[in-house]
């Protein structure tokens, strides 16, 4: 064990994690939560809420936030480049990203690029572990990430300005305003991030990251208006525009770049009558890209998908303890591009959800969902969960579910390679959670097992050509354990917050080797991942330390020891001081990768060494 790892473990032994469980998702009277079903039907699973104070301490990308604060591992092709999660040993396409209750995974790839999602446009970000396809549809197998814009109906006018500048000409800016009363609520957020990203490789001053520059701009608008005491109209809108020059793996490689433009618009009408709550959602989601294989040429490939969604949710409170929800939704996708002809896809589903509080200590929920589509099979899904408080400091959780991932546009319709006969992936999983809680202290330990069949993979053709095509091939079994810990001691005016997560993950695909069926660890899935943070606050002074350990991973399916990517330890520290009297005027400084660790999450994809950031945070 290295000295750096010993040092980090010593810090973690003093305290442990900033992870809030699902009970911390409080619905205050003046707040309208964008995704109420997340609270009502996730009690039996691990739910971690990352609030404003955590978002401000991290870099603005969703990859950075979750890498240092959650059990999720990221396969990141360099700073700011493409980034795919592995949640509980699954692939990037088996983690769903949920924007205000809607699944926004790419229709082309089936997954979200976590470096194209900024964190400062949202009130909170929630990490839900385990299956959630009954509620959120395709890809919610390993878990789901929830991006929430919640409305406050109370008299308020506030402004928030954040600006940072750092090494490699890296700049980040965010402006957010809230204007609200007991009748209406408006939130507006604008963000801009950019970097030359031309860092020198740690340990090799002769090499530099080439062609790694990027920028992105996003704007979020959330508006709510109470038509009367029973009816509320809510509008959510977001656009995102970015350009990335993909870092070179060798000085002689061609310089490429990639443009993203995404739009998301949602209108919701909520009506409350006696024991009924009706929610009608109408949404339009657009995603488009341009890829330039050589930036010296005007030639590019492109793709675009437009998705229209209608969703109706009718909830009925049978009594104070039994709640019933019925949900019907219809999605229509229209996609086209360089390698995809004009193709329409229609998907419908119906869900029934039941939540029952048996007594103060025991509750359970049962959910079912039926998918209907012409492009692949029509999976039937289910979920059952229960929790029981055995003592005043210990709670037991149980959950079992069937989940799925549908074939993507590329899988089904890619010109010359798509396979229209694909079946959806299906997953059967179970988990047991243990929660220990005391004042200012929470410990959660969860063990899980997940069996996935009909895994979708692109494999080379057997006709000797270079063509690849998707097939339902491998079976995968994933099992392991997760530990989430939070401790908030206070000594007079000295406030501490200690946060830590640990994941042990085995994720194996079934392979035929020399006429024997063997299981091999999936590529880029570490057996061990550990995070920790220690925050200290005294009056107007704040400081914090972050730690990340990622174990070694295999880069080839046959688990050849020579192809391992080595483990790494990364630490960050930061300090800020509030100069304001009535308002908040913080000036802060961060050192990232304080040990100047030389590491690559992916082979030939270098990450930066020690670098620095200074920031200003204003609230008025």
């Amino acid at each position: 064990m290295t000295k750096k790892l010993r040092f980090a473990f010593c810090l973690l032994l003093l305290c442990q994690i900033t992870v809030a469980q699902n009970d911390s998702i409080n619905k205050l009277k003046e707040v309208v939560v964008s995704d109420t079903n997340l609270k009502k039907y996730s009690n039996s699973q691990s739910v971690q809420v990352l609030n404003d104070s955590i978002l401000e301490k991290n870099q603005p990308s969703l990859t950075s936030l979750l890498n240092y604060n959650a059990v999720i591992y990221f396969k990141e092709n360099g700073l700011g480049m493409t980034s795919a999660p592995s949640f509980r040993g699954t692939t990037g396409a088996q983690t769903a990203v949920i924007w205000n209750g809607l699944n926004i995974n790419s229709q082309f790839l089936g997954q979200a690029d976590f470096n194209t999602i900024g964190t400062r446009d949202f009130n909170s970000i929630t990490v839900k572990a385990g299956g959630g396809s009954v509620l959120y549809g395709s890809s919610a197998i390993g878990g789901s990430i929830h991006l929430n814009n919640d409305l406050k109906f109370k008299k308020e006018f506030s402004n928030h300005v954040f600006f940072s500048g750092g090494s490699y000409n890296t700049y980040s800016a965010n402006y957010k305003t809230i204007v609200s009363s007991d009748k209406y609520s408006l939130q507006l957020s604008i963000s801009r991030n950019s970097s030359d990203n031309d860092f020198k490789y740690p340990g090799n001053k002769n090499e530099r990251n080439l062609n790694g520059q990027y920028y992105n701009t996003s704007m979020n608008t959330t508006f709510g208006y109470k038509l009367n005491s029973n009816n509320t109209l809510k509008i959510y809108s977001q656009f995102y525009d970015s350009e990335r020059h993909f870092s070179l793996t060798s000085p002689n490689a061609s310089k490429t770049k990639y443009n993203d433009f995404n739009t998301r618009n949602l209108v919701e009408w909520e009506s409350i009558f006696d024991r009924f709550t009706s929610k009608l959602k109408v949404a339009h989601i657009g995603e488009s890209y341009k890829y330039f294989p050589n930036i010296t040429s005007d030639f590019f490939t492109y793709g675009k998908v437009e998705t229209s969604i209608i969703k109706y949710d009718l909830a009925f409170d049978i009594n104070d303890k039994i709640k019933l929800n019925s949900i019907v939704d219809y999605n229509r996708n229209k996609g086209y591009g360089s390698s995809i002809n004009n193709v329409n896809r229609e998907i419908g589903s119906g869900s029934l959800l039941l939540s029952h509080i048996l007594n103060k200590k025991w509750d359970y929920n049962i959910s079912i969902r039926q998918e209907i589509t012409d492009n692949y099979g029509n999976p039937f899904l289910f979920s059952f969960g229960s929790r029981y408080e055995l003592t005043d400091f210990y709670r037991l959780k149980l959950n079992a579910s069937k989940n799925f991932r549908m074939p993507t546009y590329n899988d089904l319709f890619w010109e010359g390679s798509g396979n229209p006969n694909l079946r959806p992936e299906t997953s059967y999983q179970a988990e047991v959670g243990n929660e220990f809680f005391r004042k200012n202290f929470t410990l959660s330990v969860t063990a899980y097992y997940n069996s996935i069949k009909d895994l979708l993979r692109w494999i080379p053709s057997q006709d000797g050509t270079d063509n690849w095509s998707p097939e339902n091939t491998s079976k995968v079994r994933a099992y392991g354990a997760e530990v989430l810990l939070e401790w908030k001691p206070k000594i007079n005016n000295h406030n501490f917050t200690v946060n830590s997560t640990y994941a042990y993950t085995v994720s194996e695909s079934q392979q035929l080797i020399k006429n024997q069926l063997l299981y091999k660890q999936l590529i880029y899935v570490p057996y061990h991942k550990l995070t920790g943070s220690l925050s200290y606050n005294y009056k107007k002074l704040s400081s914090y330390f972050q730690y990340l350990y990622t174990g070694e991973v295999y880069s080839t399916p046959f688990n050849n020891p020579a192809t391992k990517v080595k483990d790494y330890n990364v630490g960050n520290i930061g300090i800020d001081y509030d100069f304001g009297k009535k308002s908040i005027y913080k000036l802060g400084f961060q050192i990232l990768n304080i040990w100047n660790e030389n590491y690559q999450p992916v082979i030939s994809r270098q990450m930066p060494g020690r670098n620095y950031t200074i920031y200003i945070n204003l609230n008025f």
Side-chain angles (χ1 to χ4, degrees):
M1 186 180 295
T2 66
K3 291 182 179 179
K4 290 178 283 189
L5 190 56
R6 291 175 182 170
F7 172 71
F9 273 118
C10 288
L11 285 175
L12 296 177
L13 287 174
L14 296 175
C15 34
Q16 330 263 331
I17 166 175
T18 258
V19 211
Q21 300 303 314
N22 53 320
D23 293 330
S24 66
I25 309 176
N26 296 320
K27 185 177 179 181
L28 305 178
K29 291 183 179 179
E30 73 274 9
V31 177
V32 175
V33 180
S34 63
D35 186 4
T36 56
N37 286 337
L38 175 63
K39 173 181 170 60
K40 291 194 297 184
Y41 298 101
S42 301
N43 290 333
S44 61
Q45 294 176 281
S46 173
V47 177
Q48 177 183 359
V49 180
L50 306 176
N51 55 27
D52 286 343
S53 62
I54 299 176
L55 302 186
E56 290 176 358
K57 290 182 176 69
N58 289 268
Q59 298 300 298
S61 74
L62 188 58
T63 296
S64 178
L65 173 72
L66 299 180
N67 214 8
Y68 284 93
N69 294 280
V71 295
I72 306 170
Y73 165 78
F74 284 92
K75 180 185 174 185
E76 187 176 13
N77 289 333
L79 184 65
M81 304 298 104
T82 57
S83 175
S86 176
F87 203 158
R88 289 190 170 180
T90 59
T91 66
Q94 293 165 336
T95 295
V97 176
I98 311 299
W99 175 73
N100 294 306
L102 298 180
N103 190 322
I104 59 170
N105 278 30
S106 169
Q107 296 295 324
F108 287 113
L109 300 176
Q111 65 187 56
D113 184 343
F114 280 56
N115 273 337
T116 65
I117 300 174
T119 60
R120 296 195 173 109
D121 292 327
F122 305 101
N123 303 123
S124 66
I125 295 176
T126 303
V127 180
K128 177 178 176 289
S133 288
V134 171
L135 278 176
Y136 302 110
S138 176
S139 300
I141 293 177
S144 51
I145 312 301
H146 300 258
L147 313 174
N148 306 313
N149 294 107
D150 301 328
L151 291 165
K152 297 181 180 179
F153 286 94
K154 64 177 183 179
K155 188 175 181 179
E156 180 180 352
F157 175 64
S158 63
N159 297 275
H160 173 85
V161 177
F162 179 91
F163 179 79
S164 70
S167 304
Y168 330 121
N169 289 325
T170 301
Y171 299 101
S172 178
N174 172 257
Y175 170 71
K176 184 183 299 181
T177 185
I178 298 176
V179 183
S180 63
S181 69
D182 58 357
K183 189 75 173 178
Y184 67 87
S185 180
L186 172 66
Q187 296 180 26
L188 175 66
S189 177
I190 302 174
S191 296
R192 170 77 175 190
N193 303 288
S194 65
S195 178
D196 289 346
N197 203 20
D198 56 351
F199 56 87
K200 292 182 179 179
Y201 288 1
N204 189 340
K205 296 182 178 181
N206 296 322
E207 289 192 74
R208 184 182 291 272
N209 191 47
L210 302 176
N211 197 56
Q213 59 265 42
Y214 64 85
Y215 74 80
N216 58 70
T217 305
S218 63
M219 184 172 76
N220 260 19
T221 304
T222 308
F223 177 74
Y225 185 76
K226 291 188 175 181
L227 302 172
N228 53 45
S229 59
N230 295 326
N231 293 274
T232 303
L233 181 68
K234 289 169 278 187
I235 300 173
Y236 305 87
S237 181
Q238 182 188 40
F239 86 80
Y240 176 90
D241 175 61
S242 78
E243 179 176 293
R244 286 180 290 179
H245 292 218
F246 289 148
S247 299
L248 304 185
T249 55
S250 68
N252 297 322
S254 296
K255 293 183 178 181
T256 63
K257 70 176 182 179
Y258 193 87
N259 295 116
D260 285 288
F261 186 74
N262 301 320
T263 60
R264 299 167 188 132
N265 295 282
L266 165 64
V267 178
E268 179 180 327
W269 179 19
E270 180 182 65
S271 300
I272 301 175
F273 298 101
D274 194 22
R275 296 183 180 182
F276 288 92
T277 300
S278 169
K279 293 182 181 180
L280 175 63
K281 294 183 177 183
V282 179
H284 181 271
I285 298 175
E287 61 171 299
S288 61
Y289 73 87
K290 291 181 180 179
Y291 173 68
F292 294 79
N294 191 324
I295 61 175
T296 61
S297 170
D298 293 332
F299 172 77
F300 62 85
T301 59
Y302 74 97
K304 186 172 184 179
V305 176
E306 296 181 358
T307 301
S308 300
I309 302 172
I310 299 177
K311 185 174 183 178
Y312 184 67
D313 183 333
L314 181 63
F316 176 56
D317 294 346
I318 298 175
N319 53 43
D320 292 340
K321 296 183 177 181
I322 303 177
K323 302 180 186 298
L324 193 65
N325 270 60
S326 59
I327 303 174
V328 178
D329 65 60
Y330 168 77
N331 293 10
R332 186 176 188 272
N333 309 131
K334 180 181 179 180
Y336 53 91
S338 302
S339 300
I340 295 177
N341 294 324
N342 290 347
V343 178
N344 294 332
R345 179 162 68 170
E346 297 180 75
I347 304 168
S349 73
S351 304
L352 190 62
L353 319 173
L354 171 68
S355 175
H356 186 190
I357 301 174
L358 295 169
N359 52 51
K360 293 182 179 179
K361 295 185 176 182
W362 192 8
D363 61 61
Y364 70 90
N365 58 74
I366 301 174
S367 307
I368 56 175
R369 176 183 177 120
Q370 178 66 61
E371 288 273 321
I372 301 173
T373 180
D374 292 332
N375 297 125
Y376 55 87
N378 303 316
F380 174 78
L381 311 173
F382 65 84
S383 174
F384 171 79
S386 181
R387 63 176 181 173
Y388 184 76
E389 191 171 312
L390 280 79
T391 70
D392 60 355
F393 65 87
Y394 172 64
R395 183 185 294 121
L396 177 66
K397 293 183 175 183
L398 303 172
N399 187 271
S401 61
K402 178 186 176 184
N403 307 279
F404 87 115
R405 181 175 84 85
M406 65 183 179
T408 68
Y409 259 81
N410 289 358
D411 294 332
L412 294 168
F413 309 124
W414 190 271
E415 192 173 281
S417 298
N419 182 354
N421 299 315
L422 293 173
R423 300 180 299 277
E425 297 176 356
T426 56
S427 159
Y428 294 89
Q429 55 187 276
E431 63 181 80
V432 179
N434 302 272
E435 285 186 356
F436 304 87
F437 43 89
R438 279 299 191 191
K439 183 180 179 180
N440 299 327
F441 178 84
T442 303
L443 172 65
S444 172
V445 181
T446 304
Y448 63 89
Y449 184 87
N450 187 2
S451 176
I452 304 171
K453 69 176 183 178
D454 290 330
L455 185 72
L456 291 166
R457 294 200 307 173
W458 284 69
I459 61 174
S461 300
Q462 297 181 0
D463 57 8
T465 66
D466 293 332
N467 293 330
W468 290 58
S469 60
E471 291 186 5
N472 294 105
T473 55
S474 299
K475 293 182 179 179
V476 172
R477 62 183 185 189
Y479 56 91
E482 298 168 346
V483 180
L484 311 177
L485 184 66
E486 176 183 64
W487 184 32
K488 292 184 177 181
K490 181 178 180 180
I491 305 173
N492 297 324
N493 291 326
H494 303 273
N495 298 282
F496 299 87
T497 300
V498 192
N499 307 317
S500 178
T501 73
Y502 170 72
Y504 171 71
T505 308
V506 178
S507 183
E508 301 171 321
S509 64
Q510 190 181 79
Q511 300 182 29
L512 182 63
I513 302 175
K514 296 181 179 180
N515 296 321
Q516 285 186 312
L517 282 176
L518 301 176
Y519 282 91
K520 297 291 185 179
Q521 182 84 345
L522 289 185
I523 63 171
Y524 291 106
V525 176
Y527 288 106
H528 305 280
K529 185 193 173 186
L530 173 70
T531 73
S533 68
L534 170 62
S535 300
Y536 168 71
N537 176 266
Y538 175 73
K539 295 183 178 179
K540 294 189 174 186
L541 177 68
S542 299
S543 62
Y544 53 91
F545 167 77
Q546 292 179 320
Y547 173 73
L548 167 67
Y549 170 75
T550 300
E552 60 187 13
V553 298
Y554 292 104
S555 63
T556 59
F558 296 106
N559 293 179
N560 185 342
T563 65
K564 284 184 179 180
V565 179
K566 71 172 186 176
D567 59 349
Y568 51 88
N569 301 269
V570 183
N572 305 324
I573 59 173
I575 187 170
D576 59 48
Y577 187 82
D578 183 5
F579 291 91
K581 294 182 178 180
K582 294 183 179 180
S583 301
I584 296 175
Y585 300 103
K586 288 185 179 180
L587 180 64
F589 180 71
Q590 294 176 320
I591 304 177
L592 307 178
N593 194 359
I594 57 176
W595 299 310
N596 201 35
E597 181 85 347
N598 183 1
Y599 70 103
Q600 299 177 357
V602 176
I603 287 179
S604 300
R605 297 294 183 176
Q606 186 68 46
M607 296 296 285
R610 186 183 300 112
N611 59 98
Y612 308 91
T613 301
I614 186 170
Y615 61 88
I616 300 173
N617 194 348
L618 310 177
N619 288 278
F620 54 94

